[in-house]
Amino acid sequence: MDRPLLASGFSDLLAPAQGFGVEAGRSMLYTWQTMAQSAIDCVDRNSSLPRLQLIDAPKPADFATSDWTAQHLGNAVGIAVPFYLLHKGVHGSTDKIFGKLGEQSLRREVAMATTTGFLYGSVLSPLDPADTRNPLQARFENGATLGLSVGVMTYSALRIQAGGQALSARRPLLGGALKTDLVAGALSGIPGGLMYSEMNALTTHRRLLPTWREVGDSVTNFSMVGAALGVPGTIKGKPLLGNPFVPVKAP
């Protein structure tokens, strides 16, 4: 008699986590769908092809609720995966064209990240149907907005990791944490998100300042994406970016 009750109680305990996972997964899949549609729209200017409708958009959630967090997490993972692959492509293309000179140049790392952000923002970021801008202008401005924001985020992450390196001798735990891609990526999302919310307000909405909700959404998204991008390097112990602020150890 006890087992069904225990099983039922255990199921009730798992229900919130399951709901969170479902909401995050739905948001991730919808993010990929919008990316694919955005890329199709770049070549299908007359909208002659049928639109992708594999999954419905997540319902708007109240700020800072469980569903809001799940949606942002799913969106962050959905963004991080293609962004990571796109950055690898930009990195590989740069190496083939220019060689590996200046592997740890600050300009190189920031420029590659900015280029990745521009490509992502102009090709994979969907346009708002209510946007009154010319589509080509909108895509260029979206790419510039995201590219500049990612450049700020990258510079900040490299600085944070350099600070962690300097702190390692005196405060090993804090320094070690700041050196990881995961922590540095998450913290760098703060300046990256602030830059994006301001630039997006100027270009998309033609406003001088973003709303508090826009700032909160941007910082949350950028921090989650930065953390997600830092997971592979943190696990492997190999950073996504070279860091010119940290001296390279002799082999």
Side-chain angles (χ1 to χ4, degrees):
M1 293 295 293
D2 289 339
R3 289 187 178 180
L5 292 176
L6 288 173
S8 175
F10 187 68
S11 177
D12 291 341
L13 289 174
L14 289 179
Q18 290 173 344
F20 185 92
V22 169
E23 191 66 24
R26 182 186 293 115
S27 181
M28 180 183 68
L29 293 176
Y30 182 73
T31 297
W32 286 342
Q33 176 178 278
T34 59
M35 288 181 192
Q37 184 63 61
S38 180
I40 292 171
D41 289 343
C42 288
V43 294
D44 184 27
R45 300 289 302 279
N46 297 321
S47 301
S48 57
L49 297 174
R51 300 190 68 80
L52 297 175
Q53 291 293 338
L54 303 177
I55 187 169
D56 293 333
K59 295 180 180 179
D62 292 333
F63 183 74
T65 60
S66 176
D67 283 350
W68 179 87
T69 304
Q71 289 174 8
H72 277 276
L73 179 60
N75 181 62
V77 174
I79 291 173
V81 173
F83 192 95
Y84 180 87
L85 297 175
L86 185 59
H87 182 269
K88 287 293 185 183
V90 171
H91 195 286
S93 299
T94 303
D95 285 346
K96 287 183 180 180
I97 297 173
F98 300 106
K100 293 190 176 182
L101 297 175
E103 184 70 26
Q104 284 193 299
S105 164
L106 175 62
R107 290 181 180 178
R108 171 192 172 95
E109 297 298 345
V110 173
M112 285 194 297
T114 302
T115 300
T116 305
F118 178 82
L119 293 174
Y120 186 101
S122 57
V123 177
L124 297 181
S125 293
L127 298 180
D128 187 342
D131 197 332
T132 58
R133 293 175 295 175
N134 175 279
L136 289 179
Q137 176 191 358
R139 287 193 178 277
F140 178 81
E141 289 182 349
N142 289 350
T145 295
L146 187 59
L148 180 59
S149 303
V150 171
V152 169
M153 185 176 177
T154 299
Y155 180 85
S156 300
L158 295 175
R159 276 294 188 186
I160 290 169
Q161 289 184 314
Q165 180 77 10
L167 279 173
S168 292
R170 291 179 287 117
R171 297 185 179 180
L173 291 179
L174 178 59
L178 292 176
K179 286 193 297 182
T180 65
D181 281 1
L182 190 151
V183 174
L187 292 177
S188 69
I190 298 173
L194 291 173
M195 175 61 72
Y196 181 84
S197 62
E198 174 59 27
M199 290 295 297
N200 190 55
L202 290 172
T203 58
T204 303
H205 305 294
R206 298 301 192 255
R207 286 190 272 106
L208 184 60
L209 295 173
T211 65
W212 285 112
R213 175 66 183 266
E214 289 169 350
V215 171
D217 284 345
S218 294
V219 169
T220 301
N221 277 338
F222 271 73
S223 294
M224 287 185 173
V225 170
L229 286 170
V231 169
T234 302
I235 294 175
K236 295 179 181 179
K238 184 178 180 181
L240 176 65
L241 302 172
N243 195 331
F245 299 116
V246 178
V248 180
K249 293 181 179 180

